[in-house]
Amino acid sequence: MATAPGFPARRAALQLLDAVMRRGETLEQTEKAAMNGVDGPADRALARAIAGETLRWLTDLDTLIDSATKKRLPDDAKPRMVLRMMLSQALRLDTPPHAIIATCLPLLSGGPRRLAHGVFSALMKREVSLPEVPTLTDAVLARWGERAMDIAPGLIDPPEVDLALKGAGETAVRATDMGGVSLMPGHIRLPRGTPIEQMPGYDEGAWWVQDLAAQLPARLLGPGEGKRALDLCAAPGGKTLALAAAGWTVTALDISGKRLEMLRDNLKRTQLEAEVVKANALTYHPAKQFDAILLDAPCTATGTCRRHPDVLHRVGPRQIGEMTEIQQSLIHQAVEWLPSGAQFVYAVCSLESEEGEAQAEWVNATFDLEPVPVTAEELPAGIAPTSEGWVRTHPGMLPDAGGLDGFFIARWRKL
């Protein structure tokens, strides 16, 4: 039974889930080890899909499991995790029940296997279903407050694929050639599963993959006209590419050598230029001044929950507190390097107010910077700046167009 086709993918999915739920790791951190023994891209994609859908709908899957057990299974019990996987396949991935039983029950033995089989069979006989919108955890609801009900509908499905174009003037032609839609000049959205490297313009470097929300921070610096820009925490390079394409002379700084290799590869493919610096931003001493600094700061990344649903279950007050301290240290450095008249853009792909709005208020109260409010004309149709002139996006926005990641962005000028 353990040799059933598809079993290695289920074993890998269980390892991914265990790493997130018990050890607080990201899916990316554990993927290489978990995928050991999984052959072929299709099975690896299946393992990721099972883990992702299980995490996306975890609260609702648990409700179903609890409705079919006399005694509640512990949250970290292996039978509960396997049952979550079994139900997510049946209710979200349309996997036939017999295939689920053949490939998931071998993950258990003895009494736990019989328990999982009985609970799953009972729920299938009841023809259970999931709600239309995922139910967020109590901890997430408490943090996001009233916004949570607006955000949740954006988490139903993984996101589509967004491209940023090197030449915004080509938007209409390329969108037609690629069968995509554009939500603003220089942007194209393609369906999930699009074979990226086979799309027109890949080899010539006409575009790169970047979520629509992630494209906004660099856009808010405007055309470069040869002026100098520092992209702090730059890897894997989407913002660097955007700044270079907009005419900035870019210095791209990051502490991760591996991620900087990705940035260099992207620069080579797109035939764009930037100075690449491997350094710790907190100890870096630039030899020149910049006309603009873009800080897309390290954060909890809860804004990426559409594509990384693990953040819904492993991020809490401790991680948020650690990130806000790092962010403030980086902001201090960036502001010190700014000459009078230079622009500063701060961004995080986080839905936590501590990392976004609270940080912008802290900047206003701490530094000699003049806020430069973002205008509606600088944003995609359907996204409006806040009353303070900041940008706040979340996955529930632009629902008819497929949503976007959660970001906070603010802009200032040094006095």
Side-chain angles (χ1 to χ4, degrees), residues 304-335:
T304 67
C305 49
R306 298 184 305 158
R307 70 189 76 245
H308 301 300
D310 51 293
V311 299
L312 298 170
H313 305 285
R314 60 173 184 77
V315 171
R318 178 179 61 82
Q319 292 88 347
I320 295 170
E322 291 172 353
M323 287 296 102
T324 55
E325 289 183 11
I326 293 171
Q327 290 152 12
Q328 291 190 355
S329 297
L330 289 167
I331 291 169
H332 260 293
Q333 289 288 76
V335 173

Side-chain angles (χ1 to χ4, degrees), residues 2 7 21 27 39 57 102 114 125 154 168 174 220 372:
F7 171 75
M21 299 301 295
L27 288 173
D39 295 327
W57 295 88
R114 291 190 293 275
K125 288 178 182 177
R174 288 199 178 274
L220 295 183
V372 181

Side-chain angles (χ1 to χ4, degrees), residues 161 178 190-197 199:
V161 178
M178 302 173 85
L190 304 173
R192 284 192 307 277
T194 299
I196 298 300
E197 296 183 6
M199 295 302 294

Side-chain angles (χ1 to χ4, degrees), residues 178-376:
M178 302 173 85
V181 298
S182 177
L183 301 184
M184 68 185 307
H187 165 268
I188 294 176
R189 176 162 288 180
L190 304 173
R192 284 192 307 277
T194 299
I196 298 300
E197 296 183 6
Q198 299 174 23
M199 295 302 294
Y202 177 83
D203 289 334
E204 66 189 81
W207 46 262
W208 54 93
V209 176
Q210 189 177 32
D211 186 83
L212 175 61
Q215 296 180 29
L216 301 179
R219 289 173 178 261
L220 295 183
L221 287 177
E225 300 171 339
K227 292 178 288 188
R228 288 195 175 103
L230 173 62
D231 183 7
L232 272 180
C233 310
K239 298 176 298 299
T240 294
L241 300 178
L243 292 170
W248 291 89
T249 301
V250 187
T251 297
L253 184 146
D254 202 278
I255 196 171
S256 170
K258 183 176 181 180
R259 285 166 59 82
L260 282 176
E261 284 304 311
M262 297 170 62
L263 190 152
R264 290 189 178 94
D265 290 343
N266 283 323
L267 286 169
K268 183 177 180 180
R269 183 177 65 83
T270 57
Q271 301 175 51
L272 293 167
E273 295 184 359
E275 177 190 16
V276 179
V277 178
K278 181 181 182 297
N280 185 336
L282 296 177
T283 57
Y284 174 64
H285 298 288
K288 58 199 172 196
Q289 289 190 319
F290 300 97
D291 300 291
I293 296 179
L294 169 56
L295 171 58
D296 188 351
C299 67
T300 57
T302 51
T304 67
C305 49
R306 298 184 305 158
R307 70 189 76 245
H308 301 300
D310 51 293
V311 299
L312 298 170
H313 305 285
R314 60 173 184 77
V315 171
R318 178 179 61 82
Q319 292 88 347
I320 295 170
E322 291 172 353
M323 287 296 102
T324 55
E325 289 183 11
I326 293 171
Q327 290 152 12
Q328 291 190 355
S329 297
L330 289 167
I331 291 169
H332 260 293
Q333 289 288 76
V335 173
E336 284 187 9
W337 299 334
L338 286 170
S340 178
Q343 293 187 82
F344 175 52
V345 168
Y346 169 78
V348 284
C349 56
S350 169
L351 291 166
E352 313 308 320
S353 59
E354 295 94 331
E355 299 180 88
E357 290 83 354
Q359 296 289 45
E361 292 170 355
W362 174 77
V363 170
N364 286 338
T366 306
F367 301 102
D368 197 15
L369 297 175
E370 175 188 20
V372 181
V374 177
T375 66

Side-chain angles (χ1 to χ4, degrees), residues 356-361 364 371-374 379 384-392 408-412:
E357 290 83 354
Q359 296 289 45
E361 292 170 355
N364 286 338
V372 181
V374 177
L379 301 174
T386 69
S387 59
E388 298 88 353
W390 305 327
V391 180
R392 164 56 77 189
F408 176 85
I409 315 167
R411 181 174 60 187
W412 294 268

